[in-house]
Amino acid sequence: MAYRVVVVGGGAAGMQTAIELKSRGIEPIIVERDIELGGKARGWYKLFPTFTHAREVIGPLAQQVKDMHIRCFYGQEVTQIAPDGVTLRSEERIPADAVVVATGFTLFDAHRKQEYGYGLYDNVITSVDLERMMIGGRVTLADGSEPKRIAILHCVGSRDEKVGQKHCSKVCCITGVKQAIELKEMYPTADVFNFYMDIRMFGPGYEELYREAQERYNVHFVRGRISEAAETINKRIQIKAEDTLTGRPLRMTVDMLVLLVGMSANYDNVKLAASAGLALAPNGYFKARDAFLGVVRSEREGIFFAGTATAPKSLADTLAEASLTASAVDAYLKEKFNIE
Amino acid sequence: MGKYYDMLAQDIRLVEGLKACMNCGVCTAVCPAAEFYNYDPRQIVVMVQRRDDEEIEQLLKSDTIWYCGECMSCRPRCPRGNTPGYVIQALRTLSQKLGFFTESEKGRQQLALKRLIGDNILATGYCLTPRNILPELHPEQGPVWEWIHSNDEAIYGRFSDCYGKEGAGALRAIDKESMEEIRRIFEVSGGRAFYDTIEAHSDRKAREMGYDGATQEYMMETYTLNSENHY
Amino acid sequence: MRNVVFGYGISRPRAIDMDNNDLRKSRDIIAEMPELQACIGCGSCTASCTAGNLTDFNFRKLHTAVRRGEYKGVYAELSKCMLCGKCRLVCPRGINTRGLVMLIKRKLGDF
Amino acid sequence: MSRRASWQEYQKDIAADRYYYARSCIRQNFFPGSEWAFLDILSNRLGIDIYDDPLHTSCTGIGYHSDVVPLETIMTVVARQFSLMAEAGYENFVSSCITSFGIYNEVLATWEEFPETEERTRRYLREATGRELVKPRSIAHTSDIIFYQREAIARKAKHRLINRHTGEPLRVVEHIGCHYAKIFPKSGIGGSEFPYVLAGMIEAWGGDVVDYPERRHCCGFGFRNYLVQANRGSSIANSHKKLESMAPYKPDFIVANCPGCAMFLDKWQYTIAEMDGMAYGADGKGIPVLTYEEMAGLVLGYDPWQLGMQFHQVDVEPLLDKLGVEYDPGAKYLGADGKYIGKPADAAINCPSQRPIYERRK
């Protein structure tokens, strides 16, 4: 009989972990809160830095889960985690030989940065709203007209202790560059301004894409965090920042302000961690056993992590990590049950 | 290195106001002073953060620290929980303690503030009173204020039974005992000594500048002079 | 009006005003030298600058201001540059900074 | 609505009764009728106990923010005010001034965070006055109380904030005053970004709140930036920036939370008109600037001159006409004994010959 592993979460990390486990002869069970697999990436249009359609990544993964006959529970919320299984909201218990926490992240709620007027001013949108518009095939202002001047603001809900988000969300910088290019492709005569503090291009091809955005697409980069946004009488957005490279305040009215929302730890991490006797990192993510040699292992034997449950990550890093998780689970089961 | 920083760190407003700046510029972005002066609160915070004595001494002697209006608009925005306005308050206090304020045009104005507001507190118990808002020093108060100023008893009398007299109500004269308490508070808490420091350094500087001490004439010079080198 | 002597005027804003600045010259300059947009603001040009080490000349600030449509005083300020070209050697983005000095001066004239 | 959502997040407990009242230097100088009206509304219209203590003084906040009064000194002055309150048998402290309100909150927070400062203050207070520091149970700004009572006031309203000629709600710009909530967002109703304290009154009394781009910007007072003549150019420039930003919305009046802001937004309109020939009201005159006590007073049917509106440099009569408030034009210029004391000289801001801002833009 195959060993059974419950994978909590059916996003990219959960699917990839399950696929890898299955191919190692282990029986994974995915418990997904939503009614289908795919996680946050389902709401994404194209992926950095290659402009691959997100569905071209998520689709095949979901298909493989199906083809491999991996069992999935949908619409089920896990309320307790232990090395020997999980408990659902329905109080049903799924016993297992190991558990993988692949619960992902929560998008930062832009309403909380009240100074930007999200939810109040029609033409202040988030990076997620923009992806949704792009999936729908048309990016316009609230009145249906084309934007001529767009500002993209980095670090909304990242590196900001005012909203309890001290960490860097890692992927927003490159997302801002990607979205700026997409906007310029759509509206070549529009002016696009990225307001940033640091540009963190950590992945392969990212720095190159940044340079391409600057040089080939003429995207403007202003080093300064926007301090406030307000609606003008014409429904445009007045923004205030400092152009820190000249040391002067900068004022500008734009047609659209895009807030690059960061990644927050899930609110229920607290409860889940407590149920499993696990510690959380100071920013609310699950704490890995070791930053170098134990990134996918928890402090309790039998509980593992995959993807953004432990920290913000790109989709590529998440997928790579999920394979590592599967291999760690495999090694654990072999050791535990004294195989070979 | 760090002598002035250590002195600043004695002031709880520096402790509260400067944790660690990452140069994002949200403070300068909304600063009413940066809007109109050659002024960048972010850079001041960074300078203090560097703890370089020479640089901080220059800052303490410069006009730069005197542009801030202490509105604290910077405070709710800082993503690192700093308050540049508090850092400014600490710098200004130290600049006055060390006498450095007299080295800048805007700093020298502290004498006028001490005399116009500070002394009024000890004389009346109020920061301002109708009789010390002189129309000639406050032309922007306009003709209505001129009218009020020259008919103060008749006009304030409509709203207060005790204008200039003891009792409860608007612009009452504050009783002698309360005034005595306020003066003693200034004595024991260092307020009086701080006033004296401002006077003494101003007097020294005034003589250096060829005045016969910190005279009314010198004070009015600090009150009105605008070299236009601030924008 | 009463001809009151106030002793001061209404101060003028010193913020960079991207709504009212004339960005045409800035666009011209970028069109002629698109790699200028690739500047990452590192300040290497200013750090290595001969003029900058003798005066308060700051090339990074200047060309950033020009890109924002702030031209006032730039031409005069650029005359402090001795065209030694050291900045070009250190630019990590390979921008022809020396050429940029001449380009800006040519486009702006005595603004 | 998101604005309301933020208000929910920043509600604060306001004591319902038994207040100790601390006056404001600026408010009693420039708006003595407002302080009178506040006390009258509470005591005589709403039956609330509020104590006006003859022994309290200025908080010395203007001196503190001009950097001539040291922190230790203002803390001790504040401690004295708190002790007076306790001695009078009260525990809910109400400040009539935004600068003071900020100071009181800041001092309490500092004592909390740096307990050694509280100890030192206690020592100084004892040594200087023999009094013992007793901290208040609650701190409120006077506008918080009016906000809290806004529905009760609405029920007694004689006028609503409606243009009686058109039947439309009046368009009201609210200005909060930086130290109300920017120092401690939790200390203000609605927080620091969308304070609800004045907006709630305006809505309750029938008006429309104008949101304009520079709504959160400082009036420009900036203590030394106004108090020293050489610096006034930047002080006026900040009000100028706000007025330019709000004018296209054609507000019927401005209401301010902070007495300083109310005074400056009024006086700077006069100055700008004299300097530049510019007025910001849609009628080519100034935009009247009210305190919230005046707004509440008009709603309750108080006489505008009893409210002290003759102190305003921008004439309020056009607004009174829109509201349908009846008044005796001559009574504006009467002294305490009921005798005519002459009129102020005319000013450009009150003459319709000014060019309104929106026409210039065209």
Side-chain angles (χ1 to χ4, degrees), chain B residues 16 35 70 75 77 96 106 109 130 137-138 140-141 147 154 156 158 171-172 181 184 189 223, chain D residues 28-29 56 65-67 73 80 113 128 131 179 183 193 224 226 231-232 241 267 334 336 342:
Chain B
E16 181 66 25
E35 191 85 35
E70 300 190 10
R75 181 169 156 87
R77 295 281 165 73
Q96 291 174 98
K106 297 286 185 200
Q109 296 169 346
L137 295 185
H138 296 272
E140 61 285 329
Q141 290 292 338
W147 174 72
Y156 286 103
R158 276 180 88 166
L171 294 165
R172 71 202 188 279
E181 288 188 19
R184 279 202 301 271
S189 65
Y223 180 81
Chain D
Q28 60 188 322
N29 262 274
H56 80 289
H65 284 298
S66 303
D67 306 279
T73 303
R80 178 177 180 271
E113 204 173 327
R131 297 178 196 274
H179 290 193
I183 302 179
E193 301 296 342
R224 69 193 325 284
Y226 172 74
N231 306 340
R232 285 179 196 155
K241 184 180 166 77
K267 300 294 169 60
L334 301 182

Side-chain angles (χ1 to χ4, degrees), chain A residues 196 210 214 223 245, chain C residues 38-44 60 63-64 67:
Chain A
Y196 70 97
Y210 171 31
Q214 291 176 303
R223 196 197 169 284
L245 297 181
Chain C
C39 170
I40 49 174
C42 71
S44 300
R60 170 174 59 70
H63 73 69
T64 309
R67 280 188 285 147

Side-chain angles (χ1 to χ4, degrees), chain A residues 72 81 87 140 255 298:
Chain A
C72 297
I81 292 172
T87 310
T140 63
D255 300 313
S298 77

Side-chain angles (χ1 to χ4, degrees), chain A residues 70-299:
Chain A
I70 293 172
R71 264 181 80 193
C72 297
F73 287 80
Y74 295 105
Q76 296 286 355
E77 201 181 329
V78 170
T79 55
Q80 283 179 52
I81 292 172
D84 61 352
V86 301
T87 310
L88 305 182
R89 165 109 26 234
S90 60
E91 295 193 359
E92 184 187 342
R93 209 181 126 67
I94 309 176
D97 300 305
V99 171
V100 174
V101 178
T103 46
F105 66 96
T106 300
L107 281 160
F108 176 76
D109 177 7
H111 291 97
R112 292 176 59 205
K113 291 295 289 176
Q114 290 175 12
E115 56 265 51
Y116 302 139
Y118 179 67
L120 202 58
Y121 305 136
D122 291 342
N123 292 314
V124 177
I125 63 170
T126 67
S127 44
V128 183
D129 298 332
L130 183 61
E131 292 291 331
R132 199 175 300 132
M133 284 185 191
M134 290 192 289
I135 290 172
R138 198 165 145 73
V139 176
T140 63
L141 303 179
D143 65 2
S145 62
E146 296 181 1
K148 293 182 186 66
R149 194 185 242 187
I150 303 160
I152 298 178
L153 173 59
H154 294 225
C155 294
V156 178
S158 304
R159 306 177 73 193
D160 186 352
E161 67 177 54
K162 289 277 159 177
V163 288
Q165 295 272 105
K166 291 187 183 179
H167 60 278
C168 165
S169 293
K170 203 170 176 182
V171 296
C172 328
C173 281
I174 179 67
T175 300
V177 166
K178 182 203 77 132
Q179 292 188 336
I181 290 175
E182 286 169 312
L183 288 165
K184 286 293 280 189
E185 292 268 357
M186 233 175 288
Y187 300 116
T189 59
D191 275 319
V192 180
F193 293 82
N194 279 54
F195 287 83
Y196 70 97
M197 295 191 291
D198 299 289
I199 293 281
R200 298 182 165 180
M201 292 291 139
F202 63 94
Y206 294 10
E207 179 69 15
E208 291 82 348
L209 193 68
Y210 171 31
R211 181 162 187 152
E212 200 179 328
Q214 291 176 303
E215 206 169 336
R216 185 168 148 215
Y217 289 95
N218 195 18
V219 173
H220 308 281
F221 285 81
V222 181
R223 196 197 169 284
R225 191 173 192 144
I226 294 174
S227 201
E228 69 176 40
E231 193 174 68
T232 69
I233 199 162
N234 306 319
K235 304 280 171 200
R236 299 182 79 218
I237 305 298
Q238 176 191 291
I239 54 181
K240 295 185 177 184
E242 182 194 354
D243 182 6
T244 61
L245 297 181
T246 58
R248 285 169 64 186
L250 182 141
R251 306 282 174 257
M252 183 192 280
T253 312
V254 296
D255 300 313
M256 179 187 271
L257 171 62
V258 181
L259 308 175
L260 288 168
V261 285
M263 293 186 182
S264 296
N266 292 343
Y267 302 119
D268 55 7
N269 282 1
V270 179
K271 277 188 191 161
L272 281 183
S275 78
L278 294 176
L280 289 180
N283 49 24
Y285 290 92
F286 286 100
K287 189 163 168 270
R289 184 182 295 187
D290 184 88
F292 300 98
L293 298 174
V295 288
V296 298
R297 300 166 76 103
S298 77
E299 279 166 338

Side-chain angles (χ1 to χ4, degrees), chain D residues 344-361:
Chain D
D346 286 339
I349 192 65
N350 294 318
C351 304
S353 58
Q354 303 296 306
R355 281 180 308 152
I357 178 89
Y358 64 92
E359 272 181 19
R360 183 187 56 162
R361 286 225 171 99

Side-chain angles (χ1 to χ4, degrees), chain C residues 12 22 28 46-47 61 66 77 80 89 93 104:
Chain C
R12 304 181 71 81
D22 179 359
D28 275 2
T46 302
K61 273 194 186 180
V66 166
E77 192 65 15
K80 290 180 184 164
L89 298 177
R93 286 297 185 102
I104 294 175

Side-chain angles (χ1 to χ4, degrees), chain C residues 12-42:
Chain C
R12 304 181 71 81
R14 64 177 275 285
I16 296 172
D17 181 352
M18 296 291 283
D19 292 340
N20 295 309
N21 279 359
D22 179 359
L23 293 166
R24 276 174 302 183
K25 282 177 197 292
S26 153
R27 289 200 178 106
D28 275 2
I29 290 166
I30 292 166
E32 208 155 309
M33 193 185 268
E35 81 245 37
L36 173 57
Q37 279 289 68
C39 170
I40 49 174
C42 71

